[in-house]
């Protein structure tokens, strides 16, 4: 995994907010009717609404998170759904911890 891409992804409060929201999809997106947010992921449109940003802005942030491997994006019908990749996030945090150790 490209660590510089991951560091860039984490260097944005908006992207950190997205990851926090996606950590508890049922809490923040339980009203999503098109698919189970926990199992399938959260629709990009709903993420944009939760952040109070335009969809293209949200899409740019989500694409950076996808490139870093922190989320997966699955298309279904006309929507795209995002879900955290917990294994990649855990690996990054462990790597970061090792880098910061004395």
């Amino acid at each position: 995994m490209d660590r510089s891409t991951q560091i860039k992804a984490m260097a944005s409060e908006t992207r950190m907010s997205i990851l926090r929201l996606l950590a508890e999809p049922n809490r923040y997106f339980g009203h999503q009717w098109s698919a189970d947010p926990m199992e399938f992921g959260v629709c990009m449109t709903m993420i944009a609404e939760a952040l109070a940003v335009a969809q293209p802005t949200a899409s740019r942030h989500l694409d950076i998170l996808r490139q870093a491997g922190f989320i997966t994006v699955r298309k279904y019908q006309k929507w795209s759904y995002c879900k955290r990749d917990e294994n990649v996030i855990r690996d990054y945090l462990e790597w970061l911890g090792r880098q910061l150790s004395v």
Side-chain angles (χ1 to χ4, degrees), residues 41-85:
V42 177
C43 179
M44 284 185 175
T45 303
M46 294 189 87
I47 294 169
E49 289 171 3
L51 295 171
V53 298
Q55 186 143 1
T57 301
S59 293
R60 270 195 308 281
H61 286 295
L62 291 164
D63 190 52
I64 291 169
L65 289 169
R66 183 195 57 75
Q67 289 173 31
F70 294 139
I71 65 168
T72 57
V73 179
R74 182 193 312 188
K75 291 193 183 289
Y76 179 69
Q77 295 180 350
K78 61 181 179 175
W79 296 291
S80 294
Y81 295 85
C82 302
K83 187 174 182 177
R84 283 172 46 130
D85 188 322

Side-chain angles (χ1 to χ4, degrees), residues 9-60:
M10 291 296 192
S12 161
E13 182 56 39
T14 300
R15 291 189 285 277
M16 294 291 285
S17 294
I18 291 168
L19 290 175
R20 282 191 294 270
L21 290 169
L22 293 178
E24 298 183 81
N26 284 337
R27 177 178 176 189
Y28 296 107
F29 304 103
H31 58 287
Q32 177 175 279
W33 58 268
S34 56
D36 181 331
M38 189 74 184
E39 233 174 271
F40 206 80
V42 177
C43 179
M44 284 185 175
T45 303
M46 294 189 87
I47 294 169
E49 289 171 3
L51 295 171
V53 298
Q55 186 143 1
T57 301
S59 293
R60 270 195 308 281

